[in-house]
Amino acid sequence: MATEFEPGAAVGSYRVHHLLAQGGMAMVYDAAHRILPRRVALKVMHQHLLDRPEAAQRLLQEACILEAFAHPGAVRVFDCGVLPDRRPWIAMEYVGGESLAALFARAGALPIATVVG
């Protein structure tokens, strides 16, 4: 997994610890607010998508939807912004533990009670 921001790098008011994951649209870092005792999942759009304005719009729209959704089963958005190179980022509630992909790979199909519980 390639990383763009090294540990200690600043993104907005957040300090990057390490890369957690990456997908087709963004990289997600374990980070913390520089002043507040707040750990976050920091999602930053990939640099190669800069020539696709709809990708940046989609990432910021994700932040707006999550903010409006406000449900105990969804992560909270703490902050968002745009880097000097025009890439958007979102600081979201950090939720530790196993990813859904890893859980499905390990356990297969889950009982409905587990999924809705």
Side-chain angles (χ1 to χ4, degrees), residues 97-108 110:
E98 187 175 29
S99 72
L100 284 176
L103 175 62
F104 292 147
R106 179 178 53 76
L110 300 175

Side-chain angles (χ1 to χ4, degrees), residues 25-102:
M25 185 174 207
M27 298 177 113
V28 180
Y29 298 90
D30 181 351
H33 193 277
R34 286 193 259 174
I35 298 169
L36 299 172
R38 177 181 292 155
R39 186 174 180 189
V40 299
L42 186 68
K43 188 173 189 175
V44 182
M45 187 179 85
H46 288 302
Q47 204 163 27
H48 72 269
L49 295 175
L50 273 172
D51 60 344
R52 297 183 50 205
E54 70 278 4
Q57 181 180 2
R58 185 173 154 200
L59 192 69
L60 292 174
Q61 187 176 36
E62 177 184 335
C64 292
I65 289 168
L66 282 170
E67 178 67 20
F69 190 55
H71 184 275
V75 297
R76 296 180 351 201
V77 172
F78 296 126
D79 200 358
C80 67
V82 179
L83 294 170
D85 68 4
R86 300 183 343 267
R87 287 182 299 147
W89 56 268
I90 306 171
M92 300 175 285
E93 178 180 14
Y94 178 88
V95 179
E98 187 175 29
S99 72
L100 284 176

Side-chain angles (χ1 to χ4, degrees), residues 14-28:
Y14 299 87
R15 187 77 59 204
V16 170
H17 293 305
H18 64 272
L19 182 66
L20 290 170
Q22 63 181 330
M25 185 174 207
M27 298 177 113
V28 180

